[in-house]
Amino acid sequence: MRRRYNNHTNVDKDIPEIAQLWICRVLVHLGMHKKFIEKTRLDNDSLAFAIGMSEWVDKNSDDYNAIECLSELKRIHASLERKVKKITLPKSLATNIAHLTKLVGLNDTESTVLAFAVMLDTISPIETVTDYLGNLTTIKMCRSLSVILDRPENEIKEALSMQGILHRSGLLTIDRQCQSMDYKIDLLTNTFADTLISTIASPNDYLKGVVTPSSAPELSMDDYEHIQPFIDILQPYFSHTLKTARRGVNILIHGAPGTGKSQFVKAFSHSLGCELFDIANEDNEGDSVNGERRLRAYSLAQNFFAKRRAILFFDEVEDVFASENPFFGKKSPAQSRKGWMNKTLEENPVPAFWVSNAIGQIDPAFIRRFDMVFELPIPPKNQRTKIIEQNCSGLIAAETITRIAESEQLSPAVVARACAVIDSIKGEIPQHELTASFERLINNTLKAQHHAPIPKHKASELPAYYDATLTNADIDLIAIADGIKHADSGRLCLYGPAGTGKTAYGRWLAEYLGKPLILEKVSDLQSMYVGETEQNIARAFERAQEAGALLMIDEVDSFLQDRRNATRSWETTQVNEMLTQIESYCGVLIVSTNLMDNLDPASLRRFDLKAKFDYLKPEQAVTLLSRCAEQLKISAPNERENRDIQQLKTLTPGDFATIMRQSRFRPLTEVAQLIRALESECNLKPETSKAIGFY
């Protein structure tokens, strides 16, 4: 059913003459008068008012004459054609088109096409008359525009081609799936046309809704000490880029959500004194902006800010690079325009940061075109502690901060949001409940991310009675620590029964060396997805290297099992990856295992030293018994009790640690109780055939 307008306001005065001319060319030159001028009346009243034929509106059948009406139309058209050289665009539109022409480098035909597209979007009679043209292929549309705009058809085709500046800049694209002209011609944003025709705008106005000035950073470069090696490369590279106007500068940052990627880009840009502009993923009305339109906005911003000291920030790039539906072969915007995308990355005048939460979804062909690619990891423990202290502003006790910082998955964003909530309610709840509320908020987020909650106790804290000399090893542990401190490197394999102090020694050594500790467990590194375990292994070594940390891997036999016994390909690849990483690692590495005989023979030569940890010597057991009694504030052991403790042949430092933890809820009041508890722990071990039973 054809659209009819019933507004009889004399709107012809509000319609620019250039619009009237284009309307008349559609009606006369393209023969659409046959649809406009019906036998008994005009098809569209508003169209009649637009071109000055208001007297023909609502004429009764006796007064209406279609032939005379056509003659009037031709007269109006001829008059407009005679003064065509004096017809100009509306002032605001003309100024903005001239500005865009200079910024982007449009030719005369491209400028005219853009002006027509703007008026098609904002002046309804133009949309109405082009609807008469019906379904249009791209070729037919170019022919029609050639007539309407009085431009050679080949120039129109070039202006609307994918290689043309209008398309490459993002100002205008042709949707080949649509058939009506107003839908086939797609401008940058929904408000773009209104902006150009209503006011003399600035580049920021043109890009409103898709490119916005970035907000001020909440963090500083001091908060990113854990990636200082990367910063040491990035800063001079950008200084050189800005000084020489180097083109094709693109940096890809990836990492888990909440690690501070966006804040880093903001802090870095601020440190350089550069304007930072975000490629928006939501418009002013909160509606999402798709990847195709974001790429167009990025292209246009490249033109607009080429001569400014600016940086572009393209966050959440998955909607650009990742396939929307890989099962049905649906390509991403970047994949469907691969050549254009590659050229964009190679020639952009404004340096850009691209940020992703899932780099695995990006085509490797695109990745290699970035100047730098780096992962922003969750900060190490010392940095996490600093972030919590800065955000909490004295709200949380120091002991609690230290314990919360133990969480290996605690990202800056989680901390910042939890602290913001606590700060807002600190006057509403008792002071002593703030800590519990803070932990609850963080734990809820960690749980939702499928991470372990904050440990109730400081997991890495050594017992007060710990002494490396009270570990039964076949090497001098103190001397080894001094040697590693001097060399600042070393790869140790610690093996022996569970609880003999292998992990505790790793923790002690990290403190002795003054290095942060990164403790990785098998459960942390293993993944159900093929290839991801190998990536996790590589990432753990990389993270430790960058942080200058001591890397400790517990139960390493899971990753160094004898390949001759492997039944699945991924078992072999995991061993290969672990061996490769160990071989190339130049920091301090400790691996531990209870199953030395199961290790792949090739792994043994990767270690500088293999140390056996065993059950406590009698004299060590006696010393530990005395120190634990002192900590428990019970009487010192007597000679009989010292003899009794020496009878426990499978006693380990881990047994003492277990009993000391139990004492928090099962108080021990005498040494005899402590010995009985230790005996029970020993009796649970497969090495102990029966209880000693000396009581």
Side-chain angles (χ1 to χ4, degrees):
M1 186 176 177
R2 287 176 293 188
R3 185 186 309 149
R4 290 185 181 272
Y5 299 88
N6 296 313
N7 183 4
H8 286 203
T9 304
N10 193 4
V11 296
D12 55 306
K13 294 181 181 179
D14 299 324
I15 302 295
E17 284 189 317
I18 187 69
Q20 294 177 332
L21 176 61
W22 290 338
I23 293 170
C24 286
R25 285 174 175 174
V26 173
L27 294 173
V28 177
H29 290 326
L30 294 176
M32 293 302 109
H33 63 275
K34 297 176 183 179
K35 295 183 179 182
F36 173 58
I37 302 175
E38 298 179 333
K39 291 182 178 181
T40 59
R41 58 160 292 148
L42 296 180
D43 174 71
N44 190 287
D45 297 347
S46 293
L47 193 56
F49 275 85
I51 58 176
M53 295 183 65
S54 57
E55 70 271 16
W56 292 92
V57 175
D58 290 338
K59 279 193 174 186
N60 58 48
S61 57
D62 293 334
D63 296 330
Y64 179 84
N65 187 299
I67 296 175
E68 292 179 5
C69 187
L70 177 59
S71 297
E72 176 67 8
L73 171 63
K74 290 180 177 180
R75 186 192 65 76
I76 294 172
H77 171 232
S79 175
L80 290 168
E81 292 287 3
R82 283 195 297 272
K83 58 179 180 179
V84 64
K85 293 183 179 180
K86 298 180 180 180
I87 295 176
T88 60
L89 295 173
K91 183 178 179 181
S92 294
L93 180 59
T95 302
N96 289 324
I97 293 293
H99 193 193
L100 286 169
T101 296
K102 184 178 180 180
L103 279 172
V104 181
L106 303 177
N107 60 33
D108 189 51
T109 297
E110 291 163 340
S111 299
T112 302
V113 169
L114 180 60
F116 175 81
V118 171
M119 296 180 74
L120 173 65
D121 193 72
T122 55
I123 299 176
S124 59
I126 298 180
E127 176 190 345
T128 301
V129 79
T130 56
D131 283 347
Y132 286 150
L133 297 171
N135 296 335
L136 295 172
T137 64
T138 301
I139 293 176
K140 288 182 178 180
M141 185 183 70
C142 289
R143 290 173 182 170
S144 298
L145 286 176
S146 174
V147 173
I148 298 170
L149 304 179
D150 193 24
R151 299 280 174 173
E153 186 178 338
N154 65 311
E155 292 184 9
I156 299 293
K157 287 180 179 179
E158 289 177 7
L160 296 178
S161 70
M162 293 189 67
Q163 292 74 38
I165 295 179
L166 287 174
H167 183 88
R168 288 191 285 111
S169 67
L171 284 169
L172 180 153
T173 61
I174 301 301
D175 190 336
R176 285 166 169 76
Q177 302 302 315
C178 296
Q179 295 182 316
S180 63
M181 185 176 290
D182 56 317
Y183 283 105
K184 285 186 79 69
I185 299 177
D186 186 24
L187 292 169
L188 178 65
T189 69
N190 294 332
T191 61
F192 186 67
D194 287 331
T195 300
L196 263 62
I197 204 165
S198 61
T199 183
I200 297 176
S202 66
N204 287 359
D205 296 325
Y206 300 143
L207 297 170
K208 189 176 181 181
V210 288
V211 179
T212 58
S214 188
S215 58
E218 298 175 6
L219 301 177
S220 70
M221 294 302 293
D222 292 339
D223 295 304
Y224 293 92
E225 294 176 355
H226 56 294
I227 57 167
Q228 193 60 48
F230 171 76
I231 294 173
D232 290 341
I233 301 172
L234 188 64
Q235 282 181 328
Y237 182 60
F238 259 77
S239 296
H240 174 76
T241 294
L242 296 170
K243 184 179 180 180
T244 61
R246 182 184 178 92
R247 301 175 74 90
V249 175
N250 295 279
I251 312 299
L252 177 61
I253 305 175
H254 64 99
T259 53
K261 300 183 294 294
S262 299
Q263 286 298 319
F264 172 77
V265 175
K266 294 179 180 182
F268 182 76
S269 302
H270 181 75
S271 71
L272 294 176
C274 291
E275 297 179 279
L276 181 66
F277 295 93
D278 299 343
I279 308 300
N281 50 30
E282 290 185 353
D283 60 22
N284 293 333
E285 297 178 354
D287 296 325
S288 62
V289 181
N290 62 34
E292 174 71 27
R293 199 168 292 276
R294 294 182 75 201
L295 275 181
R296 290 170 58 186
Y298 170 81
S299 296
L300 194 56
Q302 286 288 343
N303 286 280
F304 285 2
F305 304 131
K307 296 183 179 181
R308 293 167 65 167
R309 189 177 175 88
I311 296 173
L312 296 183
F313 177 27
F314 207 124
D315 199 3
E316 299 180 8
V317 301
E318 291 81 11
D319 64 343
V320 170
F321 292 104
S323 296
E324 294 183 27
N325 196 329
F327 295 103
F328 295 98
K330 191 172 182 179
K331 294 182 177 181
S332 68
Q335 291 170 326
S336 61
R337 304 167 63 187
K338 201 166 186 175
W340 176 88
M341 191 73 229
N342 289 339
K343 190 174 182 179
T344 297
L345 292 174
E346 292 170 356
E347 299 181 356
N348 55 298
V350 183
F353 280 96
W354 306 71
V355 172
S356 172
N357 297 328
I359 194 172
Q361 299 179 14
I362 301 178
D363 189 332
F366 293 129
I367 293 179
R368 67 180 178 84
R369 297 184 183 274
F370 290 96
D371 299 303
M372 300 183 196
V373 180
F374 81 101
E375 180 183 15
L376 188 59
I378 290 176
K381 180 185 169 183
N382 61 336
Q383 196 69 14
R384 294 197 299 271
T385 302
K386 180 181 176 182
I387 291 170
I388 298 172
E389 289 174 342
Q390 290 176 338
N391 280 273
C392 290
S393 304
L395 294 173
I396 310 298
E399 183 277 334
T400 303
I401 290 175
T402 302
R403 180 168 53 80
I404 291 174
E406 290 286 331
S407 176
E408 295 285 343
Q409 305 299 331
L410 188 60
S411 66
V414 174
V415 172
R417 292 189 179 97
C419 286
V421 173
I422 294 301
D423 187 60
S424 67
I425 64 173
K426 61 185 178 183
E428 306 296 327
I429 63 175
Q431 182 68 29
H432 67 274
E433 292 184 10
L434 289 178
T435 296
S437 299
F438 181 69
E439 286 191 45
R440 194 174 298 115
L441 290 171
I442 289 180
N443 277 335
N444 288 342
T445 302
L446 291 175
K447 182 180 178 180
Q449 296 175 326
H450 308 290
H451 299 316
I454 297 167
K456 291 295 184 183
H457 306 280
K458 189 179 175 183
S460 64
E461 189 173 45
L462 288 166
Y465 54 82
Y466 181 82
D467 187 337
T469 63
L470 299 178
T471 300
N472 184 13
D474 62 355
I475 59 172
D476 186 336
L477 296 178
I478 303 297
I480 292 299
D482 289 333
I484 292 175
K485 191 170 188 176
H486 176 73
D488 198 31
S489 66
R491 295 170 293 187
L492 280 64
C493 177
L494 312 182
Y495 66 98
T500 51
K502 301 182 292 295
T503 302
Y505 179 69
R507 288 171 173 158
W508 175 84
L509 183 60
E511 291 184 4
Y512 186 79
L513 299 175
K515 292 179 177 292
L517 173 67
I518 294 180
L519 177 60
E520 297 287 0
K521 300 178 182 178
V522 173
S523 58
D524 298 327
L525 300 175
Q526 281 186 327
S527 172
M528 62 184 291
Y529 301 106
V530 176
E532 195 165 285
T533 297
E534 291 89 332
Q535 294 177 16
N536 292 341
I537 293 171
R539 193 176 293 114
F541 278 87
E542 181 182 357
R543 191 155 58 96
Q545 194 79 65
E546 292 178 349
L550 186 154
L551 175 62
M552 185 166 189
I553 304 176
D554 270 341
E555 303 172 356
V556 77
D557 45 275
S558 298
F559 296 127
L560 291 180
Q561 60 182 314
D562 196 330
R563 286 170 290 184
R564 293 172 297 183
N565 300 326
T567 58
R568 302 174 179 87
S569 61
W570 54 264
E571 293 175 333
T572 300
T573 59
Q574 289 178 11
V575 175
N576 291 340
E577 181 64 35
M578 180 61 75
L579 291 176
T580 299
Q581 294 296 333
I582 293 174
E583 181 76 32
S584 60
Y585 191 65
C586 56
V588 182
L589 170 69
I590 292 180
V591 304
S592 66
T593 178
N594 305 332
L595 304 169
M596 187 67 168
D597 293 340
N598 292 351
L599 298 190
D600 190 279
S603 68
L604 298 179
R605 64 179 177 83
R606 265 57 175 200
F607 299 104
D608 304 318
L609 186 67
K610 281 79 70 177
K612 182 180 180 181
F613 283 53
D614 213 337
Y615 301 116
L616 290 170
K617 297 175 181 178
E619 61 270 22
Q620 292 174 323
V622 169
T623 302
L624 275 174
L625 180 65
S626 177
R627 293 188 180 184
C628 288
E630 183 180 355
Q631 188 172 339
L632 292 170
K633 297 180 180 180
I634 58 179
S635 58
N638 55 39
E639 291 186 11
R640 179 188 174 186
E641 290 165 336
N642 284 334
R643 288 196 301 270
D644 290 339
I645 199 68
Q646 294 181 60
Q647 299 302 309
L648 300 180
K649 303 302 182 182
T650 59
L651 193 61
T652 68
D655 296 329
F656 281 92
T658 298
I659 301 307
M660 294 300 288
R661 290 195 302 271
Q662 290 178 6
S663 69
R664 292 183 286 111
F665 54 85
R666 194 178 72 172
L668 301 172
T669 59
E670 58 184 14
V671 173
Q673 292 177 325
L674 175 58
I675 296 175
R676 283 195 295 269
L678 290 167
E679 180 193 10
S680 297
E681 290 297 317
C682 289
N683 288 338
L684 294 174
K685 300 173 185 179
E687 299 91 330
T688 306
S689 58
K690 60 179 181 179
I692 301 292
F694 40 75
Y695 282 104

